[in-house]
Amino acid sequence: MSEVIISVRGEHEVRVAPEEAVVHLSVRTEGAVRSEVVARNAALTDPLRADLDRRLASGTVLRWASDRASVWSERPWHPEGARLDPVHHATVDVTAAFADSDALSGWVTEVADVDGVHLVGIQWLLGAETRVRLEEEAATTAVGVAVARARAYAGALGLFAVEAEHIADVGLLGESGDRTERRSAPLMAAAAFRDANAPSVQLRPEELVITAAIEARFRAH
């Protein structure tokens, strides 16, 4: 056997603890009088914004935003079929990013006790520089895995010179069928409670997963 084309796949996965958490809150009020509903929502939201400003100034909060507000009305139906008086709703969405888990747990505990404030979820993230570095590391290692596999196959055939012809992300070399494995990092997670009677919420984020997968063709001879 003088020459053979070897097609292989290389993968690598990096698991890492998140570097920051973005808390998503919604402040919600409702009632029969629109102006009162809006006023109560502002009475809940304004102290929350002031607290976040203080935390931002002290460095406890990395950044925060509250740029989405909604006010709407509906007329619910009575069980017997009659249309009831209008009910007015007001919501304001708030996000805040924390790097310190203790500060995060303490703040979530405080706001969770406020009527009208709802914890929507927590988004666990990596910093941009860390993500780029780990993506490059995963891609480089995935290529190394592919090279090692190609050399192993070639050696089994008695061929020891291996030259790369094509390297691409999975699915870009044109093989029939979809052989892409879709694996994504668990970026959204709700707060986890270790003890329902504990004085504060204890958050346990899952590790984030950075994956790389490539397909390659080698000429072995």
Side-chain angles (χ1 to χ4, degrees):
M1 184 180 298
S2 60
E3 186 175 88
V4 66
I5 298 298
I6 299 175
S7 297
V8 295
R9 174 171 170 156
E11 312 97 347
H12 186 65
E13 176 179 287
V14 179
R15 292 180 175 270
V16 63
E19 293 179 330
E20 64 180 63
V22 179
V23 184
H24 296 261
L25 298 178
S26 179
V27 181
R28 307 171 190 170
T29 52
E30 63 179 40
V33 181
R34 182 186 179 94
S35 60
E36 293 179 359
V37 170
V38 173
R40 283 194 289 112
N41 193 279
L44 290 174
T45 306
D46 289 347
L48 184 62
R49 288 170 170 159
D51 177 61
L52 287 171
D53 274 335
R54 288 191 295 269
R55 293 174 182 269
L56 181 65
S58 68
T60 306
V61 168
L62 301 176
R63 61 188 179 278
W64 73 273
S66 175
D67 54 6
R68 181 178 175 184
S70 301
V71 180
W72 76 97
S73 303
E74 63 174 343
R75 293 192 64 185
W77 292 91
H78 189 276
E80 296 181 358
R83 201 72 182 267
L84 302 179
D85 292 336
V87 176
H88 304 281
H89 304 265
T91 66
V92 173
D93 294 336
V94 178
T95 61
F98 290 78
D100 181 86
S101 59
D102 291 337
L104 168 66
S105 297
W107 187 72
V108 168
T109 300
E110 290 179 16
V111 297
D113 284 338
V114 179
D115 290 338
V117 177
H118 301 266
L119 176 63
V120 178
I122 300 175
Q123 185 179 16
W124 306 100
L125 301 173
L126 294 174
E129 291 184 2
T130 301
R131 173 166 287 277
V132 169
R133 175 175 58 81
L134 293 178
E135 287 176 346
E136 291 177 351
E137 174 187 323
T140 299
T141 306
V143 171
V145 170
V147 171
R149 286 179 176 170
R151 287 175 175 168
Y153 294 156
L157 297 172
L159 305 173
F160 300 99
V162 176
E163 299 173 357
E165 283 202 331
H166 300 285
I167 295 178
D169 288 339
V170 170
L172 296 183
L173 286 185
E175 285 84 356
S176 61
D178 183 7
R179 300 196 294 118
T180 303
E181 293 182 11
R182 302 187 182 275
R183 297 181 291 175
S184 59
L187 295 182
M188 290 297 294
F193 295 85
R194 290 180 182 170
D195 182 354
N197 298 314
S200 65
V201 177
Q202 301 297 320
L203 302 177
R204 297 178 299 191
E206 296 182 27
E207 289 184 317
L208 301 183
V209 183
I210 306 296
T211 62
I214 62 100
E215 291 175 343
R217 290 196 185 105
F218 295 86
R219 185 179 302 275
H221 51 86

